């Protein structure tokens, strides 16, 4: 696990960002999230096809081509124009990041990127027959292996854009509870796909995490929704931590997180509710307390808050750029509040 800024709590966000101007987004993010916080390469879904999570991650696949069909992204024989748009948007983002980071007097010591995990990617890609890739064991394996083969080059490109910065990767699995429970609908919508065994999920994550570590990534976390969050599977796959919203976590899930923290893993705490962009942000003290109260009840020492990263509960793409900036500012204040507890 990374030792970057481990002596302090830190803040980051999940990646999606409002608007369509990557230069403005990077400047805001890097301005708000200086050390010890974790700036990130934003994704801008408002730009349209290719800047969505499936297109962006699908553009990294090796020996698997994708294109947009009427029902969504499909695995095809040769890359289409939509896949080219996705690759072009990502290249533009990396070049802009390099320009902005290169002009800074003091660059952050780390940078986070995010990608869609192999299971949610397989649930979001369609086969030639119109069914989800998730339906077919061979297709699921091919997607996981292709993604693992493609992440190394991605990490190298990011590293070249921010020389000397440790690269942190957040692997997003928004659909994992439905995938493991067998509630993902078929293409027709009349049936659901069979549940995927936990061992297979762990194995797919291991493939990608090993490839990321081999590429020099300093920290890898798997981001999951809190409902039925498979925290044990994330840890078993070799991730350095778990990113999860806190609001609906059960006592059992908190116990799993506490055990992970005691074993040196990192909690990325989705402590700031952001489901409704129109709502006022809660008081900093209240957000700090929603982490500290269960932490204390589990018998974890204040000193171990130093590994915590605080995040919003959702992506920020539905906010305005100025309100998204206010979220980052609030998160850094929450991290400062945790630091005060660490220092006693």
């Amino acid at each position: 696990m990374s030792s970057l800024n481990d002596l302090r709590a830190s803040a980051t966000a999940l990646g999606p960002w409002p608007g369509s101007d990557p230069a403005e987004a990077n400047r805001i993010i890097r301005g708000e999230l200086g050390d010890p916080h974790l700036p990130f390469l934003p994704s801008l879904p408002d730009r349209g096809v290719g800047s969505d999570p499936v297109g962006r991650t699908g553009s990294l696949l090796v020996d698997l081509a994708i294109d947009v069909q009427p029902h969504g992204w499909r695995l095809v024989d040769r890359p289409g124009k939509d896949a080219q748009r996705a690759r072009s948007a990502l290249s533009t983002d990396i070049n802009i990041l390099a320009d902005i980071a290169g002009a800074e007097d003091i660059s952050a010591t780390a940078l986070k990127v995010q990608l869609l995990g192999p299971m949610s990617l397989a649930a979001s890609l369609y086969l030639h027959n119109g069914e989800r890739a998730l339906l077919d064991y061979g297709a699921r394996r091919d997607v996981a292996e292709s993604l693992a083969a493609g992440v190394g080059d991605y990490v190298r490109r990011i590293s070249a854009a921010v020389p000397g910065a440790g690269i942190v990767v957040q692997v997003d699995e928004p659909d994992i509870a439905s995938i493991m429970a067998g509630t993902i609908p078929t293409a027709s919508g009349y049936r659901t796909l069979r549940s995927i065994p936990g061992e297979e999920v762990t194995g797919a994550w291991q493939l990608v995490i090993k490839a990321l570590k081999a590429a020099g990534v300093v920290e890898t976390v798997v981001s999951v929704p809190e409902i039925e969050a498979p925290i044990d599977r994330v840890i078993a796959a070799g991730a350095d931590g778990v990113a999860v919203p806190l609001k609906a976590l059960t006592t059992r899930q908190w116990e799993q997180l506490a055990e992970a923290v005691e074993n040196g893993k990192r909690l990325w705490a989705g402590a700031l509710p952001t489901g409704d962009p129109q709502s006022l942000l809660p008081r900093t003290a209240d957000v700090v307390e929603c982490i500290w109260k269960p932490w204390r009840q589990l018998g974890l020492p204040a000193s171990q808050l130093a590994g915590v990263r605080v995040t919003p509960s959702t992506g920020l793409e539905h906010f305005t750029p100025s309100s998204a900036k206010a979220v980052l500012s609030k998160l850094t204040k929450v991290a400062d509040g945790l630091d005060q507890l660490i220092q006693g």
Side-chain angles (χ1 to χ4, degrees):
M1 141 155 202
S2 157
S3 61
L4 294 170
N5 300 312
D6 274 349
L7 299 178
R8 296 181 62 184
S10 59
T12 192
L14 298 175
W17 191 263
S20 56
D21 183 345
E24 179 199 36
N26 274 286
R27 277 193 288 268
I28 291 173
I29 290 162
R30 296 183 73 80
E32 292 293 324
L33 298 178
D35 282 342
H37 308 297
L38 182 60
F40 55 94
L41 180 68
S43 57
L44 303 168
D46 284 355
R47 285 190 297 190
V49 171
S51 293
D52 58 293
V54 182
R56 201 165 171 89
T57 301
S59 73
L60 307 177
L61 295 174
V62 172
D63 295 333
L64 287 181
I66 59 169
D67 197 31
V68 173
Q69 307 288 322
H71 50 272
W73 285 95
R74 191 165 87 170
L75 292 163
V76 291
D77 293 328
R78 58 184 65 84
K81 66 181 187 304
D82 298 308
Q84 182 54 46
R85 279 179 67 181
R87 280 194 297 273
S88 175
L90 185 57
S91 291
T92 297
D93 288 357
I94 294 171
N95 290 339
I96 287 170
L97 170 69
D99 290 344
I100 290 172
E104 292 170 343
D105 293 332
I106 303 173
S107 269
T109 56
L111 176 83
K112 191 256 294 179
V113 295
Q114 49 284 326
L115 49 85
L116 199 58
M119 302 311 299
S120 295
L121 186 59
S124 304
L125 291 173
Y126 290 82
L127 302 170
H128 290 273
N129 63 8
E131 201 41 88
R132 295 176 193 268
L134 190 71
L135 175 72
D136 182 89
Y137 172 77
R140 296 195 299 270
R141 185 193 57 217
D142 288 350
V143 168
E145 290 178 348
S146 176
L147 181 59
V151 293
D153 181 59
Y154 179 43
V155 171
R156 283 186 284 276
R157 290 166 65 198
I158 296 292
S159 294
V162 284
I167 306 302
V168 177
V169 178
Q170 168 193 316
V171 179
D172 291 325
E173 287 284 7
D175 300 319
I176 196 60
S178 303
I179 289 166
M180 294 180 73
T183 58
I184 296 273
T186 56
S188 68
Y190 293 122
R191 295 184 300 113
T192 56
L193 301 182
R194 290 174 59 183
S195 62
I196 305 301
E199 294 78 14
E200 185 184 333
V201 171
T202 303
W205 289 345
Q206 275 175 331
L207 264 181
V208 174
I209 290 168
K210 282 181 178 173
L212 289 167
K213 289 187 175 176
V217 166
V218 299
E219 182 183 341
T220 304
V221 300
V222 179
S223 174
V224 293
E226 70 273 40
I227 307 303
E228 302 296 327
I231 293 162
D232 52 344
R233 292 280 165 203
V234 173
I235 301 305
D240 296 305
V242 184
V244 64
L246 300 187
K247 189 175 181 188
L249 285 182
T250 64
T251 303
R252 173 73 187 125
Q253 288 172 318
W254 267 112
E255 288 168 349
Q256 289 177 319
L257 289 170
E259 184 180 347
V261 167
E262 287 174 330
N263 288 323
K265 302 296 184 180
R266 199 193 274 275
L267 170 62
W268 288 33
L272 187 64
T274 45
D276 180 5
Q278 306 307 317
S279 294
L280 289 172
L281 294 175
R283 293 185 328 132
T284 301
D286 293 340
V287 184
V288 171
E289 183 63 15
C290 85
I291 300 170
W292 178 230
K293 184 179 178 183
W295 200 267
R296 206 171 48 228
Q297 289 170 340
L298 288 160
L300 290 168
S303 60
Q304 285 187 308
L305 288 167
V308 171
R309 292 199 196 280
V310 289
T311 78
S313 61
T314 66
L316 302 176
E317 66 271 35
H318 304 304
F319 283 66
T320 63
S322 61
S323 58
K325 179 181 179 182
V327 168
L328 297 188
S329 176
K330 173 68 73 172
L331 289 166
T332 63
K333 289 173 182 162
V334 172
D336 288 345
L338 293 176
D339 276 341
Q340 288 170 24
L341 291 170
I342 293 164
Q343 291 156 16

